């Protein structure tokens, strides 16, 4: 796992809800340059899923929301000692 993967997984586990990039950036205080590659790596590993939510504001692109997969939740619980 990458340097920031633990933080992303535990942030998603702690909220129990889908999170967008903005919420993740605020929660774990990373720059977008570090967050986006980590999200792609976690998604490719099958630990998170992403979906675009419907466009809610004219002129704004739809947000991509991230959630843990079952495997991602198990990994996050193991990382936090709550397996």
């Amino acid at each position: 796992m990458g340097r920031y993967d633990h933080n992303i997984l535990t942030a998603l586990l702690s909220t129990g809800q889908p999170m967008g990039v903005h919420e993740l950036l605020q929660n774990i205080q990373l720059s977008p340059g570090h967050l986006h590659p980590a999200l792609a790596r976690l998604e490719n590993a099958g630990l998170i899923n992403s979906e675009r939510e419907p466009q809610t504001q004219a002129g704004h692109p739809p947000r991509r929301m991230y959630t843990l997969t079952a495997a991602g939740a198990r990994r996050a619980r193991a990382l936090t000692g709550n397996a």
Side-chain angles (χ1 to χ4, degrees), residues 2 21-22 55-56 70:
V21 168
H22 182 73
Q55 188 171 359
T56 56

Side-chain angles (χ1 to χ4, degrees), residues 12-36:
L12 288 168
L13 181 67
S14 69
T15 64
Q17 298 181 28
M19 294 179 78
V21 168
H22 182 73
E23 291 88 5
L24 284 165
L25 287 171
Q26 288 184 328
N27 193 289
I28 57 178
Q29 301 176 351
L30 286 179
S31 71
H34 289 112
L35 181 62
H36 289 286

Side-chain angles (χ1 to χ4, degrees), residues 41-54:
R41 184 173 47 254
L42 290 167
E43 192 163 16
N44 288 336
L47 299 174
I48 64 172
N49 285 324
S50 68
E51 290 186 15
R52 288 203 183 273
E53 71 177 8

